[in-house]
């Protein structure tokens, strides 16, 4: 705890918005959600870094295909992001290539985060399934944290255990957003179910993207998934609307585009036409009354 406090970055030196994606156990979809959140952030015009802090078994390099990348151990060693990547809208900071290097990089994770939040507008940190000091460091540094729960009862129980750990370690949970993943019409859990299990906490829902998500991510085509406006991507876009500062949100037309595709977008002139109809109705009633009085 003392080491985490000593390594904590001062608020006045923080530049970028750090979003940490965690879950109580493995398999909740952290890698998928973190990858898509980073791509959607870059699409908003934010210079974005995707940090794979699953230091032992992180596979974001495979999911991102040929995206510009730099190993986390190189950032820790040099204290900077390579100059040739400075102009890229999205940079992947990948997990160590050698498994035995994970402990070395974990010890330097504080300095890696310092470099990224000083160099990028938006930093998304993916985490592993097993909790360790890296989780606590990233949660302490984060401007917001997305806590994923999947459709298993064990995932809900693991979420409660992890939240209890955060409270024991003195990590404020006010910036946490809980989200239940893989939601469908016939899914076992909804946000209401998970909220009830977690004492009424606010819980968002992430839609199940179906087989398309696994197929495109497995082929390293995450960008294609975003461009296809998958239901999962639309859900994550809504989460970013809730978490990111207002200045980073897309124009209103972009926000309403997914709604328009399913016939739910409000029409801009509907209110105006309604007011015009009311005014015409009142005028016609007045004319009728005057004609009656004249007769």
């Amino acid at each position: 705890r003392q080491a985490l406090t000593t390594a904590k970055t001062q608020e006045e030196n923080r530049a970028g918005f750090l979003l940490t994606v965690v879950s109580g156990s493995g398999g909740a979809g952290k890698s998928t959600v973190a990858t898509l959140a980073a791509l959607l952030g870059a699409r908003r015009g934010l210079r974005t870094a995707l940090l794979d802090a699953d230091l032992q078994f992180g596979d974001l390099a495979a999911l991102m295909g040929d995206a510009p990348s730099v190993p986390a151990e190189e950032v820790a060693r040099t204290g900077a992001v390579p100059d040739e990547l400075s102009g890229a809208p999205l940079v992947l900071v990948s997990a160590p290539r050698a498994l035995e290097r994970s402990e070395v990089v974990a010890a330097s994770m504080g300095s890696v985060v310092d470099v990224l939040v000083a160099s990028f507008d938006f930093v998304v940190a993916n985490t592993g399934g097993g909790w360790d000091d890296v989780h606590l460091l990233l949660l302490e540094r984060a401007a917001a944290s997305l806590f994923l729960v999947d459709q298993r009862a064990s995932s809900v129980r693991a979420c409660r255990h992890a939240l209890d750990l955060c409270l024991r370690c003195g990590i404020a949970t006010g910036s946490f957003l809980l989200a239940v993943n893989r939601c469908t019409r016939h899914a076992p859990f909804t946000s209401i179910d998970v909220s009830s299990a977690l004492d009424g906490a606010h819980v968002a829902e992430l839609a199940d993207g179906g087989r398309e998500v696994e197929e495109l991510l497995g082929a390293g085509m995450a960008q294609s998934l975003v461009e296809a406006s998958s239901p999962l991507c639309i859900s994550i876009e809504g989460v970013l609307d809730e978490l990111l500062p207002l200045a980073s949100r897309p124009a209103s037309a972009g926000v309403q585009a997914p709604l328009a595709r399913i016939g739910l977008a409000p029409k801009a002139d509907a209110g105006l036409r309604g007011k015009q109809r009311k005014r015409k109705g009142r005028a016609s009633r007045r004319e009728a009354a005057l004609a009656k009085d004249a007769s």
Side-chain angles (χ1 to χ4, degrees), residues 14 16 19 33 37 118-119 154 172 177 180 184 190 192 195 201 208 212 235 237 242 249 261 279 293:
R14 179 180 293 166
L19 172 63
V33 172
S119 306
S154 60
L177 175 61
V180 57
T184 63
T190 66
I192 297 176
S195 176
D208 187 355
E212 181 183 35
S235 300
E237 191 81 64
E242 186 170 349
R249 297 184 181 181
R261 280 194 293 273
R279 284 198 294 267
D293 291 342

Side-chain angles (χ1 to χ4, degrees), residues 71-112:
E73 52 194 319
E74 182 177 339
V75 176
R77 179 176 57 82
T78 62
V81 176
D83 293 337
E84 60 269 22
L85 300 179
S86 59
L90 173 61
V91 174
L92 168 65
V93 182
S94 59
R97 295 189 178 97
L99 180 61
E100 60 271 19
R101 298 287 299 170
S102 60
E103 292 185 3
V104 177
V105 178
S108 305
M109 185 54 66
S111 61
V112 173

Side-chain angles (χ1 to χ4, degrees), residues 207 228-232 234-235 253-267:
S229 296
S230 162
L232 176 58
I234 295 175
S235 300
V255 174
Q256 293 182 3
L259 298 179
R261 280 194 293 273
I262 57 177
L264 296 178
K267 296 180 180 179

